[in-house]
Amino acid sequence: MSKYDEPQDKLNCVELKLNRCTIMIFIVGIVGVPNNYGGFEALAENLVERFSRDNIPTTVFCEKHFSKSRNYLPDIVIERIGFSANGFQSILYDLIGMVRAARQGGTILLLGTSATAFLPLIRILWPTSKVVVNMAGMEWKRSKWGWIAKKYLKLGEYAAVKFSDKLVVDNQGLAEYVKKSYGVDPGVIPYGGDQFSDIPKKISILEKYNISPFEYDFALARAQPDNNIEMILDAYSRVPKDLLFISNWSSSTFGREILERFQRYSNIRLIGPVYDPVEINTLRSFSRVYIHGHSAGGTNPTLVEAMHAELPIVAFDVNFNRHTTENAALFFKDSSELESIINNLTSEDRTKVAMNLKEIAERRYRWDQIYEDYLGVLLE
């Protein structure tokens, strides 16, 4: 090879850098950044921090009332939409974001399927825009939706599969479902959880909650039925172990009913939403066991974060959780099974489970790798 010939890998590297400079990315479907809500917001936050670092122009659509500064990060533009990103308003919210993004060109990363039923129209009106959809999970299966909403969400799932340029799922179980249902192989990109590695832990926070290190179990989930909150609390109402459960109890009728029913148990602490990363990291890291009840999603961010925290995990027995943990967690199907696991869990069991899950987390769930995987999809 002549000294004037460039190696192919070097040429590919130059091309990738050029693409990173020229691409415009639009993120649609989240409440806002930085994250103070949930999984998609955590994904968006970690991606845009790296987009900014790599000087990739990015626009993020956020709720109008979102209080964070417009000058969030260099090269990151925040655009407001006057509807809620959740509930029935999310259809208009996502649709407006898609239309604004498609009119400007570039690549749209659409998080969720609230408005994907309109994707065929978007493709006709703005055929040059690229749309990458992360479908999250089987949203239409969630028990909180009525039959009309479920039919609409099922239609949105179909449209996401058939009319997106690329479909991304966060769990192999979801990929298998899409392949079986639609004959399409989606890309599989999970969430990271290592963002808490450098966040400090403060014993003073435990004192605030009047708890001692490794003498309580921990759970964190939104107050909705498919997170099996009632099942978890029912089990702990019968075991002599303390449980600290963080959720948005006051945000729904279901949450308020759960709060009223279980707050009378002295070993159960039902705490409202906590968004401070130091506080969350402290409460989670000093717990004895992490209890994970999610059933309808894919790879849940809180599960991956608990794996990185080297916690023993007891998870609801569904294929998504088994794929995420490579079957290395402990699993329960009902409150009696969870009760039995908690009562019989030894320190040796906890240590073995925690170490195995930590190894998996380090191997599979790091944000830098996930960022590169998303770039590969967005730059295709």
Side-chain angles (χ1 to χ4, degrees), residues 322-342:
R322 285 190 174 273
H323 277 295
T324 301
T325 62
E326 297 182 3
N327 293 310
L330 302 173
F331 297 95
F332 65 96
K333 289 186 175 69
D334 52 44
S335 60
S336 296
E337 198 166 2
L338 176 57
E339 179 185 358
S340 176
I341 291 172
I342 297 302

Side-chain angles (χ1 to χ4, degrees), residues 23-27 51 56-60 106-109 375 378:
I23 191 175
M24 289 192 302
I25 295 173
F26 299 86
I27 298 179
F51 289 148
I56 299 175
T58 304
T59 297
V60 184
T107 297
I108 302 169
L109 175 58
L375 269 185
L378 295 169

Side-chain angles (χ1 to χ4, degrees), residues 290-304:
Y290 177 72
I291 310 297
H292 186 76
H294 295 64
S295 66
T299 298
N300 188 269
T302 58
L303 178 57
V304 172

Side-chain angles (χ1 to χ4, degrees), residues 29 82 186 188 213 219 242 258 317 337 359 373:
V188 181
D242 291 340
I258 290 293
D317 194 354
E337 198 166 2
E359 184 277 324
D373 290 344

Side-chain angles (χ1 to χ4, degrees), residues 230-231 233-234 237-238 255-265 268 270:
E230 188 173 10
M231 184 188 298
L233 294 177
D234 183 57
S237 71
R238 301 190 301 270
R256 290 188 291 270
E257 290 175 350
I258 290 293
L259 184 64
E260 182 178 356
R261 178 180 168 189
F262 288 100
Q263 64 183 352
R264 63 189 176 90
Y265 292 94
I268 296 176
L270 303 179

Side-chain angles (χ1 to χ4, degrees), residues 110-146:
L110 179 59
L111 301 177
T113 56
S114 292
T116 48
F118 297 93
L119 264 181
L121 181 61
I122 296 292
R123 306 320 304 270
I124 292 171
L125 295 176
W126 296 282
T128 59
S129 290
K130 177 179 178 178
V131 183
V132 176
V133 177
N134 183 323
M135 65 174 277
M138 292 180 283
E139 186 68 20
W140 57 273
K141 291 192 71 174
R142 293 187 185 274
S143 56
K144 65 180 179 179
W145 301 120

